[in-house]
Every structure is written in structure tokens, then in C-alpha cells.
Amino acid sequence: MAGRLKLPCEGTMKEAMTAYYTEAFTSDRPKAWVTSGAPVELLLAADVIPIFPENYGAMIGAQRLGGDLCSAAGDLGFDDCVCSYARCTIASTERGEGPLGALPAPDLLLACNNGCGTMFKWYEVLSRRFGVPLLFFDTPYCDGEPTPRDREYLVRQLERIIAELGDILGREVDRNRLWETLRLSSDTARLWTGIQELRKARPCPLNSPDMFLHMALIVTLRGTEIAYNYYQEMLAQVRERVEAGIGAVEGERYRLLWDHIPPWYALRDFFGFCAELGACFAVDTYTNVWQGEFDPDHPLESLAECYQKVMPNLRLPWRAAMYVDYIRDYAIDGFVIHSNHSCKSYCLGEYEIARRVTAETGVRGVILEADMVDPKFYSEAQVKQMMAAFLESLD
Amino acid sequence: MQRLVEIARDPHGALREAAREGKGVVGYFCSYVPVELIHAAGFTPVRMLQGPPPGEVAGRYMQPFCCSFARSLLEGLGDGTYAYLSAVVMPHTCDTIRNLSDLVETAAPGTRVMRLMVPTVTHTAEAADFMLAETEALKEALEDLAGEELDRERLFQSIRLYNRCRDALAGLKGSGLGNRALYAAYLAFQLMDPEEFLALASSLSRGPADRDARAREAGSAESGGAGVALVGGPVPQLEVFDLLQEYGLEVVWDDLCTGSRFAAGAVRENGDPLRALAERYLGRRPCPTKRDPDNRREEELVKGVAAGGARGVVFLQQAFCEFHSFDYPGLKKRLDAEGIPSVRLDLEHPFAPTGQMRTRLQALSEMMGEGR
């Protein structure tokens, strides 16, 4: 199996994530469980520790604990059509099991439905389970740009969330600190985008599984010096790699696009298998979600817009156009779509997107059926056979 | 009664005929769409409830893990079953229907889609204002389709008409019509011209003897079974209600998307009509696609069971409906704590009663008997 070529900065990230989880488990500061697409900047500015159950779901998946925990969720009454991130983390909470045991109990919750409607359902379950308040940011489905009524609705909600957060904490959220957090978050997102841009190089310096690992800080700690410093270091190292002509996959033969969250339990196995065949995933839709930049002159308005316009919340024509741009900009030979059993929001429309992208670019794709955490929807032999045949067809 | 049952079973013939005669028909996808607005614009609103069994069209666009309810509707739009529609209104409800709104124009070229971004939050001032703004946008789209402005008085006429229809339906509840007849009336209300519906429903409320005769006419079994409450999403198949009747279960209360959640609650008949519509539609008992900060669904279920004298609960879910599946464990746990037996049936289109369904209903029937 082809090994992953590591960047020197990975040690820094491991230290940062260890410190983050240690603080989350031991600190007396208030803690909030938060969805990955919610405006975490509000929490950071209010000195609340954000905890991301989705990240924990990914860890559960990667450590192959998803099968048992999803099955345990079934015993609690949650059937297989419920998101496997939700299922495995709910079961982890009830059983006290998981890579780090159960996550520390939250004092409050912050959810946004820009990724899917699943989020607020999941967080309602958590709110009732822990008896803590849920702050919810409702982001209407976006037709490219927010409508004036969207903007008003979004900004008024943010004002309400900021006020309610202050009420819960017993102290007002410091607006100046919030603007500073937004500035740092923007600067960090710009670095992340810069790293993504470097993947256009041939050979590609970073394969998608690398990005799935390195995204941990942009998800959890965007808006902090820790994340900003880390991505500065990473950007420099990736640039060096590009200048030295080092590719993430030895003998890069195919440049692919990956769509969706990966099947975490098969991360090494699947992407390693592809790498052995010379396939590098030079771009992916998933890790490009964290890209928003905020306007310091209109911070709340731009915060609202950034969070509404994330990829899974865009209407299909915009998503398809994004794929076409990726294929052209990253010189992609083929695309691989993960039809994720857990995720109707991200997946429904994939068949049509695939057709439109092929019609416009001439580049073909393959659709793999699986799930991000629950391995029972994944057939290793079938997936590998399909990938091998697909890559052969690209020659 | 027979006419209501016919419409509930197959509305397409009558609607096709109406469209041929120049009466425009507009389809809508969920119970959050203000039907009064469609009607006031000169169209017959028809709920999108059941197309043909999912086949080639659905398979081309939708994964098998999407519910057969949505897949069947896309099939019907794509294969021409719904060709009589002048437009479809697609609200933001679940992720499936939201994304489906992007596929309809491709799967059924020429279909005019009007989107209605119903807020997920229903209890805040900004959500109410957003719903109002979206309702205004829908009004403009309908005016554009109709080619004329929609005036306030016409809108109030439609509001009054639909309020009368809801009153007539409320009068049928608990009247011993039997499951099939009652739910045929509910479904027909969503599938036909409201004036005709009002006339038919009013005639059904005449007296107990008439009602029993009409229930028999509708094919309902005799009433008087053990009372159950139903909880779930859309249930367009009358056969489901027959199945319940087979086990002696008579529906006395429901929280169904095609039942009382659709029909309960009048629209205010004064003030700003658009605001009145926005208030009524957001103020209803929330469906699982909406935020429910006070746990109204659970509280009202327990109250409804008590008020209706139900001795058990049947969950009727569309298979693969994630939103209902999220709510199910909490509701079930509460019912268990209250000592109320319940079972869950997952529905697919086409509907076929499985052995598992029968076993569950038999078990419920027995548990209800023990709890007597």
C-alpha cells in the first residue's frame, strides 16, 4: 500500500489538536457543541470552547468504531437513514465510548443548517438530552447570491444569537473581539485557499486524504492565532514541495476530483489503493467548503453571506458550475463522487451534476455508494474493482 | 362520499379535465404552502401526493436512499402524469424536497417551479417577517403566471372558503365515519377544487344515519374499534387506513402531514391577508422539518392521545425519512413512560402490507386490549 507523504508541520497540528482536546476535556470554561458549518467565530469571541461532534464522528469512523456505535444507536431507536455522524456520536454519549470516551458535556449548542437539515434535528436531540439551550442559525437555500429578504433574515438572526449567547453566559459578547476574530478567521481562510491553489501544480503536492487530515484546524479553530500560524507554516512547506517538484503520489498518472466526505474507515485503504494505481485527488469539494472571507466594514452582513453561500447550501446549477471550474483549474482527468448514504443534502443531485459536468468538460466520473462512518454500506472489493476499471478507462 | 374516495384514490383524471377546460392547476409539495394564495390567483391548488411507482425517471435522478414519496412525485412529473399542471410550488421542507426542486425542471422540461423558502424556525419575529416576504414573492410569481394582479378581496374570499372547508373537515372527525372515509375526505380536500369539496363535505355532516351509510359507501369498515392516534408524514394511501381497521383500530387523533397537521387552524379573516397566511402556516403544530424548541410535537401527542381517548399510537413514516426518524426515539420514549403502547410502520410506494406490519398491528391491538 502506498504510504502518505507527510509534511513536517503535521507534528505541530497533532500538538495543537492534542492541546485543543485536552483543554476541551479539562477546562472550566463554557463549552459549546457546534456544527462544522456554524459561525464558530461567535463562540471564540465569547471565550467559549467549541467542540465539533462531526469531527468526533470522523475520528470514530477513522478508528473503525463506527460500525459498533451506529449499531448501538439503532438500539436507541435511531434507524439507518439517520446521519451516521449523528448516530455514532449520540451512541458515544450514551455509552461513554469513542476514541476519547464521550465528549465533554456542553453548556450550550450552536447549529446551522447550511450543510443540511440534519444538523438542527441532531442538535435538538442533544439539546433535550443535555438540557442545554440550542442557538440555531437558519440559512435559506441559496440561488447564487442572497436575496435582500435572505440578508435581512440572516442578519437579524445573528443579532439574536449574539444577544442570546450573552444571556446564556451572563456577559455580553464583546463586539470588538468578534470583529478581530472574524479578521483572523478571514486571514486563516485565505491561507487555506492559498494551499488549495497550490494543488493545481503538477505533480499535485497534496492528495485529498492529506487535506482531510489538515482540515482539522480550519474547522475547529479558524479565528484563532493557533490556526493562522499553523496554516502559514503549512503554506510555506507546500510551496517548497511545489518548487521542488514533489508530488503527493509518486508517479502521478491521473488527477482526480473527490466529491463529498470520505468513508473515514477506508481512508488509508481506499486512497492508498488509488495512489498505487497512480491516482492523485488534486481537488475535492469537501475541504473547499471552509473558504469564507469577511468584510470588516460590514462584518455581520458578510458573516451571514459567507455562511449561507457554502457549497452544500447552493442550488444545483451553482454546484455543478463549481465542479466544472475545479476540473478546468486543476486539470482533472476524472471525478469520483461518493454517494453517501448518510447525506441526502449533499448527495441528491449528484447524478445530474455528474451528467452536466461531463457534458460541459468531457471529463467522466464514477459514483461510489458508501457511507462516511457506517461501514455496512461499503463494499471494499466492489469499490476497488470499480475504481480500477474507471482509471483504466482514463488511459 | 364515493366522489371523495375516487378523488383520493386518483385525482389526475378530474384535474386533467379541469385543465383542458381552461382551469389552471398548480401543484404544491407540502402543507406549508399557502393554498389560499394559489386559489385566489385563479388556480386549483393540488397537493403533490402520489405519482406512479418510482421507475426510470426517479432512478435517473435520485438515489434509492431517498424516500419513495419524493421519488414517485418526480416520476410522475417526468412521465407526464402531472402534465396538466401550470406550475409547481416547492417549499423548503426536508433536504430531499429542497434538492428535488433543482431536478424538476430537468426531469420534466417545461415545468415552471416556484420556490418558497419556508423558514426552519417558526417562533421568532424575524422568521415571521421572512415568511411574509416569501409569501409576497410567491404571490408575485402567481400573479405573473395568471397574468393579472391578485386583489385583497379575492384573497380574503379564498381564505374564507378554505376556513369553511377546514371547519367542514373538523365536523367529520370523531363522527364515526370510519378510517377510510375520514382520510379520504382529508386527502380529497388537498386534491380537488375547494368549492366542490365544501359542498361534498357539508353534505356528509348531515346526521349519524347518513354518515354510517356514507361510510359503508366509502368502503369503511364499521366504526367503533379501539381508538388509536397516528403520527407521521404524508400518508396518501387509503389502504393504510383499511389495514388499521382490519385490526380493529379506529383513528381518533392524528399528527399526520396529510391529516390534521394540514387541516387544523384557521387563517385570520381580517387585517393584512398575507400576514394572516404567514401567521397561520408558521403557527401550526410544527412538522419535523421545523424547529420545535418547546417540544410541541411530543406534548401535543400526549395531550391528543388523552383527549381522543386513544389507547395506542401508530407511527406512519415514509421509509428513509430522516426528519421523522430523528423524532421517533424521543416520542416513543415519552409514550413508553406514559404507558401508551405504540408501533411503527415504514411506508413505501406502492404500498403493500407486509407480514411485519401485520405482526406489529396485531401486537399493538393485543397490548391495547391488555391496557383496558
Side-chain angles (χ1 to χ4, degrees):
Chain A
M1 193 68 60
R4 200 172 57 79
L5 188 61
K6 292 181 181 175
L7 284 172
C9 62
E10 284 183 25
T12 310
M13 189 184 62
K14 276 181 189 155
E15 282 169 22
M17 287 307 289
T18 303
Y20 159 74
Y21 271 111
T22 303
E23 189 179 22
F25 273 87
T26 59
S27 173
D28 291 333
R29 285 163 56 205
K31 299 171 191 72
W33 286 18
V34 54
T35 62
S36 66
V40 66
E41 293 85 356
L42 303 179
L43 300 173
L44 293 169
D47 207 25
V48 173
I49 299 176
I51 296 172
F52 292 79
E54 287 157 81
N55 274 27
Y56 204 54
M59 283 169 68
I60 287 169
Q63 296 199 16
R64 301 186 177 205
L65 302 171
D68 279 351
L69 287 172
C70 285
S71 165
D75 297 340
L76 297 169
F78 295 96
D79 63 66
D80 285 351
C81 80
V82 170
C83 162
S84 56
Y85 275 168
R87 281 188 286 142
C88 72
T89 52
I90 288 169
S92 162
T93 299
E94 296 305 324
R95 280 188 163 190
E97 291 175 10
L100 304 169
L103 286 173
D107 299 292
L108 67 129
L109 305 160
L110 174 63
C112 177
N113 58 351
N114 56 1
C116 53
T118 301
M119 294 300 175
F120 85 86
K121 296 303 293 181
W122 177 7
Y123 276 58
E124 275 193 342
V125 171
L126 295 174
S127 176
R128 288 166 193 153
R129 161 69 176 77
F130 289 107
V132 297
L134 165 57
L135 303 175
F136 173 57
F137 187 36
D138 181 18
T139 49
Y141 199 33
C142 185
D143 193 5
E145 290 297 325
T147 63
R149 53 186 185 276
D150 289 348
R151 284 183 200 279
E152 188 194 332
Y153 180 45
L154 293 165
V155 171
R156 284 176 67 186
Q157 287 184 82
L158 287 174
E159 291 285 9
R160 176 189 289 273
I161 291 169
I162 291 169
E164 289 181 356
L165 180 55
D167 290 344
I168 293 165
L169 298 173
R171 53 183 159 81
E172 276 191 26
V173 176
D174 182 335
R175 297 274 170 146
N176 288 330
R177 193 166 168 201
L178 176 56
W179 308 153
E180 176 56 18
T181 306
L182 290 176
R183 186 193 61 75
L184 253 178
S185 182
S186 279
D187 291 348
T188 309
R190 208 171 294 122
L191 292 170
W192 182 246
T193 305
I195 293 165
Q196 298 280 12
E197 288 285 312
L198 289 171
R199 298 173 73 195
K200 290 175 182 170
R202 189 184 288 270
C204 176
L206 292 166
N207 196 359
S208 285
D210 300 314
M211 300 304 281
F212 297 142
L213 180 83
H214 287 283
M215 70 189 272
L217 289 173
I218 191 80
V219 177
T220 52
L221 293 173
R222 61 186 183 277
T224 67
E225 295 280 356
I226 299 165
Y228 177 76
N229 293 337
Y230 176 72
Y231 289 115
Q232 266 199 322
E233 187 185 352
M234 181 177 170
L235 180 68
Q237 290 176 10
V238 178
R239 195 173 281 133
E240 281 172 20
R241 202 182 257 194
V242 171
E243 284 164 3
I246 298 169
V249 169
E250 203 178 334
E252 177 183 296
R253 193 167 164 191
Y254 313 102
R255 294 171 66 85
L256 304 179
L257 176 152
W258 173 265
D259 180 51
H260 218 295
I261 301 168
W264 292 107
Y265 45 85
L267 196 67
R268 287 182 59 184
D269 185 57
F270 172 78
F271 288 97
F273 171 78
C274 293
E276 276 193 343
L277 297 174
C280 177
F281 289 85
V283 68
D284 52 84
T285 55
Y286 181 45
T287 64
N288 271 291
V289 167
W290 288 274
Q291 285 202 334
E293 288 195 27
F294 308 113
D295 176 357
D297 294 328
H298 304 94
L300 282 193
E301 290 78 1
S302 60
L303 180 69
E305 182 172 336
C306 278
Y307 278 96
Q308 189 199 17
K309 282 170 65 176
V310 299
M311 190 273 284
N313 201 43
L314 287 174
R315 285 197 49 214
L316 185 141
W318 299 94
R319 279 189 283 150
M322 205 178 264
Y323 290 45
V324 168
D325 287 345
Y326 286 144
I327 282 174
R328 289 184 176 147
D329 294 348
Y330 288 79
I332 294 300
D333 303 309
F335 57 91
V336 180
I337 289 177
H338 173 197
S339 178
N340 185 346
H341 189 274
S342 269
C343 190
K344 295 182 183 76
S345 163
Y346 206 147
C347 288
L348 178 51
E350 282 175 336
Y351 295 173
E352 177 60 15
I353 287 175
R355 281 190 290 272
R356 290 189 192 187
V357 168
T358 299
E360 196 152 336
T361 63
V363 171
R364 288 178 295 110
V366 64
I367 296 177
L368 309 178
E369 302 289 340
D371 184 90
M372 56 198 176
V373 173
D374 193 340
K376 74 166 158 288
F377 299 102
Y378 181 75
S379 163
E380 182 185 328
Q382 200 174 23
V383 162
K384 285 182 175 172
Q385 197 178 17
M386 200 183 269
M387 274 309 295
F390 176 61
L391 292 174
E392 206 178 297
S393 77
L394 297 178
D395 285 331
Chain B
M1 190 67 241
Q2 208 171 351
R3 169 84 174 140
L4 292 177
V5 173
E6 277 168 18
I7 293 287
R9 291 180 68 93
D10 180 12
H12 302 299
L15 292 165
R16 212 172 281 127
E17 190 56 35
R20 247 199 309 270
E21 288 169 7
K23 173 77 176 169
V25 181
V26 169
Y28 63 97
F29 268 75
C30 109
S31 59
Y32 277 94
V33 175
V35 286
E36 295 86 346
L37 207 51
I38 298 173
H39 184 261
F43 302 97
T44 301
V46 56
R47 180 100 181 253
M48 307 290 288
L49 283 178
Q50 195 159 270
E56 200 180 320
V57 180
R60 183 170 162 77
Y61 294 95
M62 302 178 78
Q63 280 92 339
F65 54 71
C66 298
C67 68
S68 63
F69 174 74
R71 294 170 74 231
S72 150
L73 295 179
L74 190 69
E75 190 73 32
L77 284 160
D79 79 355
T81 302
Y82 283 109
Y84 54 81
L85 296 176
S86 302
V88 289
V89 181
M90 303 197 66
H92 181 184
T93 56
C94 62
D95 294 331
T96 299
I97 297 297
R98 185 196 75 164
N99 288 21
L100 194 67
S101 72
D102 285 331
L103 297 171
V104 165
E105 284 141 320
T106 311
T111 304
R112 183 162 174 166
V113 176
M114 298 174 182
R115 291 176 178 81
L116 177 75
M117 281 307 311
V118 180
T120 299
V121 176
T122 60
H123 61 286
T124 64
E126 60 268 23
D129 289 345
F130 183 66
M131 182 66 179
L132 175 62
E134 284 291 313
T135 307
E136 282 167 353
L138 176 62
K139 173 177 167 279
E140 284 169 21
L142 288 163
E143 285 173 337
D144 184 49
L145 182 68
E148 59 178 349
E149 279 193 19
L150 193 163
D151 70 50
R152 190 170 183 272
E153 188 40 42
R154 254 171 53 204
L155 185 47
F156 270 126
Q157 281 171 12
S158 296
I159 286 172
R160 283 191 290 271
L161 174 61
Y162 272 91
N163 280 347
R164 298 298 89 78
C165 289
R166 292 184 186 107
D167 286 346
L169 256 182
L172 298 179
K173 278 175 76 174
S175 61
L177 273 180
N179 298 339
R180 162 179 277 255
L182 179 63
Y183 284 90
Y186 268 116
L187 292 170
F189 177 37
Q190 299 159 67
L191 294 167
M192 69 191 295
D193 177 74
E195 287 183 29
E196 187 190 354
F197 172 78
L198 183 59
L200 292 169
S202 302
S203 73
L204 269 179
S205 318
R206 281 185 206 142
D210 271 347
R211 277 201 302 269
D212 282 351
R214 283 174 170 81
R216 280 194 297 278
E217 191 187 342
S220 279
E222 282 180 22
S223 57
V228 288
L230 304 182
V231 180
V235 184
Q237 306 100 329
L238 286 179
E239 294 80 3
V240 174
F241 302 100
D242 293 338
L243 182 65
L244 297 175
Q245 201 87 50
E246 239 182 83
Y247 288 87
L249 305 173
E250 186 180 358
V251 183
V252 292
W253 186 86
D254 82 70
D255 181 22
L256 295 182
C257 179
T258 43
S260 71
R261 212 159 57 233
F262 176 85
V267 180
R268 184 163 43 80
E269 295 183 10
N270 53 39
D272 173 4
L274 291 181
R275 174 71 74 178
L277 287 172
E279 280 172 6
R280 186 264 167 185
Y281 281 88
L282 278 198
R284 298 175 311 142
R285 184 189 312 133
C287 107
T289 67
K290 302 292 168 233
R291 271 283 282 132
D292 185 9
D294 301 323
N295 221 352
R296 270 180 73 187
R297 290 197 72 215
E298 186 176 310
E299 295 307 323
E300 293 194 24
L301 169 60
V302 174
K303 279 186 204 156
V305 166
R311 296 206 305 273
V313 171
V314 180
F315 289 89
L316 295 172
Q317 280 188 213
Q318 292 292 327
F320 299 106
C321 178
E322 187 184 25
F323 286 73
H324 278 279
S325 288
F326 261 115
D327 282 1
Y328 171 73
L331 296 174
K332 167 88 167 65
K333 192 173 171 185
R334 176 67 183 273
L335 292 173
D336 288 349
E338 300 279 343
I340 303 163
S342 66
V343 291
R344 173 173 152 178
L345 309 185
D346 282 11
L347 307 179
E348 296 249 29
H349 178 53
F351 173 74
T354 60
Q356 189 187 52
M357 286 180 187
R358 290 183 179 283
T359 306
R360 287 180 182 179
L361 290 174
Q362 181 64 42
L364 178 70
S365 183
E366 285 165 15
M367 284 188 284
M368 286 166 63
E370 285 164 12
R372 213 177 284 185

